[in-house]
Amino acid sequence: MAGRKRRKMKSLAATAPNNGAASSEEREESDEQNSLFRVPVDILEQILCRLNLKENILASAVCKQWLAAAISVRVANKPPWLMFFPKFGDLVEFYDPSVRQTYSVELPELRGSRLCYAKDGWLLLYKPRSLRVFFFNPYTKDVINLPGLELTYQIVAFSAAPTSPDCIVFTVKHVSPTLVAISTCKPGATEWTTANYQNRLPFVSSIWNKLVFCNGLFYCLSLTGWLGVYDPEEHTWLVRVVPPPRCPENFFVKNWWKGKFMAEHNGDIYVIYTCSTANPVVYKLDQINKIWVEMQTLGGLTLFASFLSSQARTDILGVMRNSIYFSKVRFYGRRCISYSLDKNRYYPRKQCYDWGEQDPFESIWIDAPPDLSAFA
């Protein structure tokens, strides 16, 4: 009798649910799945250190081990610095917005020069008296000369550092509303190449145009918001049938054309419209649907806007994310102002800003130096 009860209880135990306890097969499957993420720490760090900031953050969500490794190799790069040209003398100032620190250095090499563009730590400059065009690295003092060219009302940009074989210098000016003259040059060339191109749509150029290099193409935003595109490989120019970004309410006031900025990042193009009586409006170009889409958030992006060239960065951590930093100079002792899309407000707070009162050649954003030895 006792034996039958024991056999019956054993039978019931075999058929009863396990109340959450995993079967041996399930445990083996789970262990096998977890083992996929059990990479030796040194190897895991070597893998994660090759990711950009956004990819690093995504990888940190896999498990606790990956989180610890991702944080250990996560590097937030320095934001660009704001460089100020003096009206007189040779003392150039650099402002680090992350720590609100100013550095000064004598750069007599820049005397009589005009700022044109900045990229990859290099400046493109122009001397109006001698028509000299040249690259200058303010940290190493390296100079790379280009053939002379008269730059009047046209804007200038370059695709990569002048030490790169991919460097192309580009400038455009309108001859008439339906005709533009485009000049290009590479470091080491003996002259500029200039050609005229017809427009299907009116395109008016000035120093207030905006110019970026993105995915092998130069994009130029005209005075009235039309987008011209130049392909340096195919030597083609086209004014795209993309309606200009919609201007904010009350945008068309005095000096309205000076409150526009354009930047590129990872294949995307952004345009920032500002107005003295309204908050900034940011648009991103939808290349497929050929429209400008208004952005309610930057998704962690940080924009650094100046009249001659602007930057967009995703590798900036902390309160600087999802913000726009403008090269508005010397306001109440500060070297720039910022606008937070999270808080919908300017810092420092002010009722309005007159973007037209600033000299466009006075300041520009440039990559931060690798160290402070240049200012020793």
Side-chain angles (χ1 to χ4, degrees):
M1 184 72 175
R4 286 198 300 271
K5 286 183 179 180
R6 283 195 296 270
R7 285 195 297 271
K8 187 175 182 181
M9 290 176 65
K10 183 178 180 181
S11 177
L12 288 172
T15 58
N18 59 14
N19 294 325
S23 67
S24 59
E25 291 183 359
E26 290 173 337
R27 285 195 299 271
E28 288 176 4
E29 183 179 349
S30 177
D31 290 343
E32 182 180 355
Q33 199 170 36
N34 290 335
S35 67
L36 295 175
F37 304 112
R38 290 175 185 164
V39 182
V41 175
D42 55 341
I43 297 178
L44 182 59
E45 290 178 349
Q46 288 296 318
I47 296 172
L48 295 179
C49 73
R50 287 168 169 78
L51 304 180
N52 60 36
L53 181 61
K54 183 178 180 180
E55 293 167 341
N56 179 290
I57 293 173
L58 291 174
S60 68
V62 172
C63 63
K64 291 183 178 180
Q65 183 200 20
W66 283 47
L67 173 62
I71 292 176
S72 69
V73 300
R74 185 176 297 168
V75 176
N77 289 333
K78 297 178 182 178
W81 286 14
L82 196 53
M83 179 180 179
F84 296 97
F85 255 43
K87 292 186 181 297
F88 307 101
D90 302 325
L91 190 65
V92 178
E93 294 182 335
F94 295 84
Y95 177 72
D96 180 353
S98 63
V99 295
R100 300 180 183 179
Q101 177 70 44
T102 301
Y103 303 89
S104 301
V105 62
E106 294 276 351
L107 293 176
E109 299 92 339
L110 305 186
R111 190 178 304 154
S113 300
R114 190 183 82 187
L115 282 169
C116 293
Y117 203 75
K119 189 182 180 73
D120 296 339
W122 287 82
L123 298 170
L124 183 63
L125 299 119
Y126 172 62
K127 288 184 179 288
R129 290 188 178 182
S130 62
L131 306 184
R132 180 187 173 198
V133 185
F134 65 102
F135 289 100
F136 181 73
N137 187 312
Y139 308 127
T140 65
K141 313 298 190 299
D142 291 337
V143 177
I144 298 178
N145 290 308
L146 292 171
L149 180 71
E150 183 177 7
L151 298 176
T152 51
Y153 297 103
Q154 67 265 47
I155 53 173
V156 191
F158 56 96
S159 59
T163 53
S164 167
D166 298 323
C167 179
I168 302 172
V169 187
F170 167 86
T171 181
V172 57
K173 67 176 179 178
H174 77 277
V175 179
S176 70
T178 57
L179 183 69
V180 298
I182 291 176
S183 299
T184 58
C185 187
K186 290 188 174 185
T190 57
E191 62 181 9
W192 291 75
T193 300
T194 301
N196 291 339
Y197 295 86
Q198 291 285 342
N199 303 322
R200 290 191 301 166
L201 295 169
F203 189 90
V204 180
S205 64
S206 78
I207 60 171
W208 302 110
N209 284 18
K210 306 305 168 187
L211 186 57
V212 298
F213 183 77
C214 181
N215 287 340
L217 304 173
F218 287 98
Y219 290 81
C220 182
L221 193 71
S222 78
L223 200 62
T224 52
W226 292 101
L227 192 64
V229 182
Y230 178 72
D231 186 334
E233 292 292 329
E234 301 295 331
H235 305 286
T236 58
W237 165 262
L238 173 68
V239 179
R240 287 193 175 176
V241 187
V242 178
R246 184 177 59 85
C247 295
E249 188 178 356
N250 301 325
F251 185 76
F252 288 95
V253 292
K254 180 184 177 182
N255 296 321
W256 61 269
W257 59 88
K258 299 181 181 181
K260 293 191 299 185
F261 308 88
M262 186 163 68
E264 68 83 25
H265 182 267
N266 200 25
D268 290 321
I269 298 175
Y270 300 87
V271 167
I272 307 154
Y273 276 13
T274 60
C275 177
S276 61
T277 58
N279 290 335
V281 180
V282 181
Y283 294 94
K284 183 169 76 170
L285 179 62
D286 184 336
Q287 298 270 16
I288 297 176
N289 297 312
K290 297 182 179 180
I291 58 173
W292 291 97
V293 179
E294 184 174 345
M295 306 289 290
Q296 301 302 323
T297 177
L298 296 178
L301 194 72
T302 307
L303 296 172
F304 297 89
S306 59
F307 289 106
L308 297 173
S309 64
S310 302
Q311 296 189 30
R313 303 277 289 273
T314 57
D315 53 3
I316 310 298
L317 294 180
V319 296
M320 298 186 72
R321 290 168 64 83
N322 210 34
S323 298
I324 310 169
Y325 281 76
F326 296 97
S327 60
K328 188 70 173 179
V329 300
R330 297 177 177 85
F331 177 74
Y332 291 146
R334 296 172 185 258
R335 297 294 176 167
C336 66
I337 61 173
S338 64
Y339 179 82
S340 170
L341 273 75
D342 292 331
K343 302 287 181 67
N344 293 318
R345 57 159 290 185
Y346 277 104
Y347 295 89
R349 187 184 292 275
K350 191 175 182 286
Q351 292 298 321
C352 62
Y353 294 94
D354 184 2
W355 300 97
E357 68 186 20
Q358 181 176 325
D359 182 352
F361 306 112
E362 183 179 10
S363 61
I364 198 168
W365 291 104
I366 184 171
D367 288 355
D371 55 60
L372 298 180
S373 59
F375 308 98

